[in-house]
Amino acid sequence: MTATLPAVRPAATLKGHWIDDWRPEDSEFWDTTGAPIARRNLIFSITSEHIGFSVWSLWSVLVLFLGPEYGIDPAGKFLLTAVPTLVGAVLRIPYSFAVARFGGRNWTVFSAALLLVPSILAAFLIRPGVDYSTLLIIAAVAGVGGGNFASSMTNINAYYPDRLKGWALGINAGGGNLGVAAVQLVGLFVLAVFGAGRPGLVAGIYIPLIVLAALGSALYMDNLSQARSEKRGMRDAVREPHTWVMSLLYIGTFGSFIGFGFAFGQVLQVQFADVFSTPVKAAYLTFLGPLLGSLIRPVGGALADRLGGAKVTFVNFIAMAAGAATVLIAAQARSLPLYIVGFIALFVFSGIGNGSTYKMIPAIFKRKHPGDEHEARRLSGAVIGIAGAIGALGGVLVNLAFRQSFLATKEADAAYVAFIAFYALCVLVTWVVYLRPAHQRV
């Protein structure tokens, strides 16, 4: 009687889209069952996260519509972009935890549907004569879009094997980050076709898209049962020193990306007012940096997969410091072409750094807990949520740095010097913690 090998057990889908058998490190399981399921969840995760980023970034566009009739000075506009950044950053922690509590698919459906609230408020309430406090509230509510990233990354991290995490997280984050550029293109379209008097149209365009994203997630995404056992990951992660080191580095990469994405259009209008005398002129350029930074993010993850995340991150921060120095020199020389080149470089390198830093996190905990795949995944998922939240606070700091610099000196030079100093600090930290010969490299 000939013995037969047991067949690969398929991922069992329970009632309510729950999968109770998930083994991405098992190559046979991955090739026959896991990869198609992971790919389907990745696609719909990107869709919802992309729209979440667009809603979160709405005010980077809406401030361009707030002309003299609104009575808001540049400092007030920078505050309007800082507020949703802050709210989104704070929400990233509970959003990451929600994946373990409710399931990745269930939370994606809810968080996507929640985007209707800020979109409807912005679509119908922004008009000349509205109180500044009302605008601040509407801007704050848009912060819910910032939380989607953390839950999406935590969810997708659990679907893919270690060898593909850099690529998968890079694709997921890059597709989401494109929402920043997309909403700016929507704003450009509205400005060019309808003029600066119809800001509500920018938000209104997203209302049907949000409904479609929520429906798609409900129909085609899944929950992983194993996530239920990872609820204490946040508590354990806050005791882990690597959590705070990676959070600092992520402030420099993602914080720069989202902060510059929110501020770029305003900075152009203030520093080069003679060239960008109307919102539509600034809007022609504001989408370019976020677009390139988003598209190149998967490259950062792929480079990290091949060369090591710490090495890519180290070189990348040197390049970001050079980019910020270029912007400073261009601002002092009043050279618009050099200024744009420097800013575009900052967006591109922030995108590469986004991918490489996120790849570092699972690699760190895989080395720290060899042979314990569940513990490494549990901690890395929690750290991704915490680092994502703290990193987003960098976007707040960028806007506050610009605001304070313009208030104090009418120029942004002091902000650029602060950015250079911070990138230099990140270079030093990356070397000392992760690249010195005495340390294991990641």
Side-chain angles (χ1 to χ4, degrees), residues 128 135 179 205 213 263 295 379 385 394 430:
L135 294 178
I205 287 172
L295 290 175
L379 286 173
T430 305

Side-chain angles (χ1 to χ4, degrees), residues 47 61 111 117 136 188 243 252 288 324 347 402 426-427:
T47 301
V61 174
S111 60
V117 177
L136 280 174
L188 175 59
T243 299
L288 186 58
F347 276 111
F402 277 127
C426 290
V427 169

Side-chain angles (χ1 to χ4, degrees), residues 82-364:
V83 166
T85 313
L86 175 61
V87 173
V90 172
L91 287 177
R92 286 185 167 199
I93 295 289
Y95 268 58
S96 296
F97 182 81
V99 171
R101 177 67 180 83
F102 302 105
R105 174 256 185 191
N106 294 348
W107 186 253
T108 302
V109 174
F110 172 79
S111 60
L114 190 60
L115 298 173
L116 288 170
V117 177
S119 300
I120 291 171
L121 290 176
F124 294 103
L125 297 183
I126 301 176
R127 58 176 62 89
V130 65
D131 291 340
Y132 183 70
S133 58
T134 301
L135 294 178
L136 280 174
I137 293 171
I138 299 173
V141 176
V144 299
N148 291 45
F149 172 83
S151 55
S152 178
M153 294 293 276
T154 300
N155 187 39
I156 293 303
N157 181 61
Y159 273 97
Y160 279 83
D162 286 335
R163 70 182 186 278
L164 296 176
K165 284 187 189 295
W167 173 85
L169 294 176
I171 289 289
N172 188 57
N177 290 173
L178 278 171
V180 181
V183 74
Q184 291 173 350
L185 285 171
V186 171
L188 175 59
F189 168 77
V190 173
L191 283 168
V193 176
F194 300 99
R198 305 290 295 278
L201 285 177
V202 180
I205 287 172
Y206 279 92
I207 293 174
L209 299 179
I210 292 168
V211 173
L212 291 175
L215 286 174
S217 299
L219 293 173
Y220 298 108
M221 290 188 72
D222 303 289
N223 304 299
L224 297 181
S225 297
Q226 67 188 29
R228 291 287 196 182
S229 63
E230 299 175 5
K231 294 177 184 177
R232 291 197 300 245
M234 288 288 180
R235 184 198 65 185
D236 295 336
V238 297
R239 301 171 180 171
E240 173 59 59
H242 289 293
T243 299
W244 307 109
V245 175
M246 291 309 303
S247 295
L248 175 72
L249 300 183
Y250 204 58
I251 287 173
T253 56
F254 180 76
S256 295
F257 173 83
I258 198 66
F260 293 146
F262 275 54
F264 190 31
Q266 295 180 75
V267 173
L268 285 176
Q269 283 198 295
V270 175
Q271 291 216 286
F272 296 93
D274 54 330
V275 179
F276 301 101
S277 55
T278 64
V280 70
K281 290 181 179 179
Y284 279 123
L285 284 175
T286 54
F287 75 92
L288 186 58
L291 176 64
L292 295 176
S294 301
L295 290 175
I296 205 165
R297 180 163 183 163
V299 175
L303 285 173
D305 282 338
R306 182 173 181 180
L307 304 174
K311 185 182 296 183
V312 175
T313 299
F314 175 79
V315 174
N316 194 74
F317 274 125
I318 296 174
M320 290 185 72
T326 301
V327 172
L328 175 61
I329 294 169
Q332 294 176 335
R334 292 292 187 268
S335 171
L336 179 59
L338 185 61
Y339 189 86
I340 293 173
V341 168
F343 241 115
I344 295 300
L346 280 173
F347 276 111
V348 169
F349 290 118
S350 69
I352 292 175
N354 283 340
S356 64
T357 49
Y358 256 52
K359 168 59 180 177
M360 288 173 67
I361 294 173
I364 288 167

